[in-house]
Amino acid sequence: MADYREISQSYAAGAIKSAILINGGAAVAVLSQISNLSAIAAPTDIAKTMLVFIFGVIFATVTWGCGFFSTRHVDRALRGEDADFAKANSFMMKGVIFFALSLFSFLLGALWLVFSVQ
């Protein structure tokens, strides 16, 4: 029988890794092409784009922390310790919000760079 808790944790871990990868990869791509980009975009726009991608990585990393604490509260509640599922759900919802912010950061950074090219 499938363990849906493990399956959902696996999907969540993959999503968080993907969010870190797309933002980190975008930041590396911008850095590797900065000499070419500086000829067609303002330096402040390039810097703002990098900052948005960096925040995307930070948001995705915070998502991982929220997932960790959510899982810890579920484990403690299942063992009957002083914890409840409400705390786990609270961390889970915060994680979802930070994950969405990470994806939005990638979208914002990419669009900012595209529209700053002259």
Side-chain angles (χ1 to χ4, degrees), residues 28-43 46 113 116-118:
V28 169
V30 169
L31 280 177
S32 71
Q33 298 299 315
I34 200 158
S35 61
N36 296 329
L37 287 173
S38 62
I40 59 174
I46 296 170
L113 188 60
S116 68
V117 173
Q118 302 170 7

Side-chain angles (χ1 to χ4, degrees), residues 1-14:
M1 184 104 181
D3 183 357
Y4 292 108
R5 185 165 169 258
E6 287 184 18
I7 292 170
S8 65
Q9 287 175 353
S10 175
Y11 281 128

Side-chain angles (χ1 to χ4, degrees), residues 87-111:
K87 288 180 185 177
N89 287 338
S90 173
F91 277 111
M92 182 189 70
M93 289 311 300
K94 289 173 187 171
V96 169
I97 291 167
F98 279 112
F99 179 72
L101 285 171
S102 178
L103 295 181
F104 180 73
S105 294
F106 174 74
L107 178 65
L108 180 63
L111 290 175

Side-chain angles (χ1 to χ4, degrees), residues 34-72:
I34 200 158
S35 61
N36 296 329
L37 287 173
S38 62
I40 59 174
T44 54
D45 288 330
I46 296 170
K48 289 174 185 175
T49 299
M50 285 294 299
L51 191 60
V52 170
F53 290 143
I54 290 167
F55 272 103
V57 171
I58 291 169
F59 291 145
T61 304
V62 171
T63 302
W64 174 86
C66 289
F68 170 78
F69 288 116
S70 176
T71 303
R72 285 292 295 144

